[in-house]
Amino acid sequence: KRDVCRVRRERTATPLQTFVLMNGPQFVEAARALAQSSLQQQPNATDHVLEQVFHRLTSRQPRQAELAVLQRLYREQRAYFAEQPSRAEDYLQIGDAAVDTKLDKVTLAAVASVANALLSYDDVVMKR
């Protein structure tokens, strides 16, 4: 509401909020930048990269069940982008930040997709 001031943000989980968090160019670019910096530190350790991305967004280590979901999403996204490299290229071009050309584009796009999904995760959006 615009007629009152709130100290705390109201709880919400509307589909529109998730839509913006997963599709807004600033969030897609932020996810790519996070994925890129994590891959630059550990280019050959995808599981560690997924844990690092999760930790940087939630300030805690992922539980085993959460990590399994992240790994499955990564594998699915990597397979998708490997089959359609032009989609990976298009996805990585969203935003103004430069893409590190030394990194594998398929891997970067897949990790960025996982980071993008995490940006709409309740533990990232809401402080409880």
Side-chain angles (χ1 to χ4, degrees), residues 49-63:
V49 166
L50 296 176
E51 289 179 36
Q52 182 181 11
V53 167
F54 186 93
H55 184 265
R56 288 174 74 180
L57 291 173
T58 63
S59 299
R60 68 175 177 83
Q61 292 298 325
R63 294 182 205 87

Side-chain angles (χ1 to χ4, degrees), residues 1-6 10:
K1 297 180 181 180
R2 295 181 182 192
D3 60 336
V4 295
C5 178
R6 300 257 184 193
E10 291 182 36

Side-chain angles (χ1 to χ4, degrees), residues 102-128:
K102 296 176 202 151
L103 297 173
D104 176 54
K105 291 182 180 185
V106 170
T107 302
L108 177 57
V111 174
S113 293
V114 172
N116 192 16
L118 282 171
L119 284 173
S120 67
Y121 185 48
D122 189 61
D123 284 3
V124 174
V125 176
M126 298 295 295
K127 179 180 178 186
R128 302 206 196 281

Side-chain angles (χ1 to χ4, degrees), residues 9-24:
R9 183 176 182 265
E10 291 182 36
R11 288 179 70 151
T12 181
T14 66
L16 183 58
Q17 177 183 0
T18 302
F19 179 77
V20 169
L21 291 172
M22 292 193 76
N23 296 298

Side-chain angles (χ1 to χ4, degrees), residues 45-105:
T46 309
D47 285 345
H48 181 70
V49 166
L50 296 176
E51 289 179 36
Q52 182 181 11
V53 167
F54 186 93
H55 184 265
R56 288 174 74 180
L57 291 173
T58 63
S59 299
R60 68 175 177 83
Q61 292 298 325
R63 294 182 205 87
Q64 280 304 113
E66 292 168 326
L67 185 57
V69 170
L70 296 178
Q71 291 168 336
R72 187 178 78 233
L73 178 58
Y74 169 76
R75 285 191 305 272
E76 290 171 358
Q77 291 299 299
R78 190 163 193 332
Y80 171 78
F81 287 125
E83 289 175 11
Q84 301 180 44
S86 64
R87 296 280 184 156
E89 186 73 36
D90 292 344
Y91 185 69
L92 295 175
Q93 294 307 312
I94 296 172
D96 296 329
V99 177
D100 185 347
T101 56
K102 296 176 202 151
L103 297 173
D104 176 54
K105 291 182 180 185

